[in-house]
Amino acid sequence: NGLAVIGLGDFAFGRPGRITVSVGAGREGLIDIERESELGGRLHTKGVLILGGYLADKLAGDIPMSLVARLTFEQSYEEIDGDSASSAELYAILSHLADLPIKQGIAVTGSVNQKGQVQPIGGVNHKIEGFFNVCQAKGLTGEQGVMIPASNVEHLMLREEVVEAVQQGQFHIYSASTIDEGIEILTSVKAGSLQPDGSFEEGSVNQRVSQRLHDMAGSLRDFMRSHSEEEQEETSQNQSPKPPDSG
């Protein structure tokens, strides 16, 4: 669940949006469907490109990036701009690669840089209150909430009913300063620190993602090698001399 702020004249309100990702082996890298459909602005495109830098720098290690990942905001029919959803998009990618589900009761806002630091965004109060309104309309369960950048905590000035719901444990506000902190909140699985041998802790999110990237690189290498051998064999057969005519 990503969060956006909609402005209508003198009014502004927060609205959640569903972010999905599909992943497969390939050379294309990250594909921003919003940009390809001319519904994404330049700042949003920059945010998506930064995600590739994070994956290559921290998780791919010494192997070439061998994936194609398509990102989109489902059922969005107007232009999307800004990078405040880039951390949510990155969590979606990590969830898919690690094969770990994300808690759907939590909405996420926050920009991210290539080093995995979650950066502040605007409209934090509107975004929290907007998601709270949606959860309240559907029924508060005590497991819903919003995750914001830690640097935005000092900017909170929420309506009294939201504050009361948080105090009563019906709604939660989480903060994260890094992607590792955020993915642990969303999956309840340890992010995993880098070990002296260059690997991540066994069973951690980062270890699972890194292993998946290595597997995809190996699969693509084997496929390309097999395809190349088939082409060479076919070329060799086409160029072999014909037997002499016995007639």
Side-chain angles (χ1 to χ4, degrees):
N1 295 303
L3 293 168
V5 173
I6 308 299
L8 296 174
D10 295 332
F11 297 93
F13 57 92
R15 187 188 72 177
R18 186 181 183 214
I19 298 172
T20 62
V21 59
S22 63
V23 175
R27 298 290 192 189
E28 295 92 333
L30 299 184
I31 297 176
D32 179 7
I33 292 179
E34 309 303 326
R35 179 187 179 188
E36 297 298 319
S37 60
E38 299 183 355
L39 286 174
R42 292 180 297 174
L43 295 179
H44 180 261
T45 297
K46 178 182 178 182
V48 172
L49 293 174
I50 285 173
L51 307 185
Y54 173 85
L55 292 174
D57 181 67
K58 180 170 183 175
L59 298 169
D62 56 355
I63 63 170
M65 287 285 286
S66 304
L67 86 161
V68 51
R70 294 175 174 85
L71 286 158
T72 189
F73 280 78
E74 298 291 354
Q75 290 189 299
S76 65
Y77 307 110
E78 63 279 336
E79 181 175 310
I80 294 175
D81 205 0
D83 62 354
S84 64
S86 57
S87 65
E89 292 169 325
L90 182 52
Y91 293 133
I93 294 172
L94 295 177
S95 168
H96 196 301
L97 290 173
D99 195 23
L100 291 170
I102 281 177
K103 297 175 183 177
Q104 293 301 298
I106 302 176
V108 178
T109 183
S111 169
V112 65
N113 64 25
Q114 292 190 99
K115 300 302 179 180
Q117 298 169 323
V118 179
Q119 302 170 136
I121 44 81
V124 63
N125 293 297
H126 290 307
K127 292 175 179 179
I128 293 174
E129 291 173 351
F131 191 65
F132 174 81
N133 291 340
V134 172
C135 294
Q136 189 179 47
K138 288 182 169 291
L140 294 174
T141 64
E143 298 181 355
Q144 300 143 328
V146 174
M147 185 162 65
I148 66 173
S151 49
N152 275 122
V153 171
E154 61 181 311
H155 305 135
L156 294 180
M157 191 181 300
L158 301 166
R159 297 198 315 264
E160 189 62 31
E161 62 176 331
V162 181
V163 175
E164 290 178 359
V166 172
Q167 291 174 340
Q168 296 170 6
Q170 294 181 318
F171 194 76
H172 305 276
I173 299 177
Y174 306 93
S175 65
S177 57
T178 65
I179 291 298
D180 280 352
E181 291 179 8
I183 198 64
E184 288 184 356
I185 293 172
L186 292 171
T187 65
S188 296
V189 177
K190 192 173 184 179
S193 58
L194 192 64
Q195 305 299 298
D197 62 357
S199 64
F200 291 96
E201 296 176 71
E202 186 66 27
S204 66
V205 177
N206 290 330
Q207 185 271 328
R208 294 168 68 114
V209 173
S210 179
Q211 184 62 53
R212 178 75 184 281
L213 291 174
H214 277 74
D215 292 344
M216 292 170 71
S219 296
L220 185 61
R221 181 189 63 243
D222 294 343
F223 174 80
M224 296 299 292
R225 180 182 300 164
S226 174
H227 187 64
S228 176
E229 291 175 352
E230 289 177 0
E231 287 185 339
Q232 291 177 0
E233 182 178 351
E234 183 177 345
T235 301
S236 176
Q237 290 176 350
N238 292 336
Q239 292 179 349
S240 59
K242 296 182 179 180
D245 188 354
S246 58

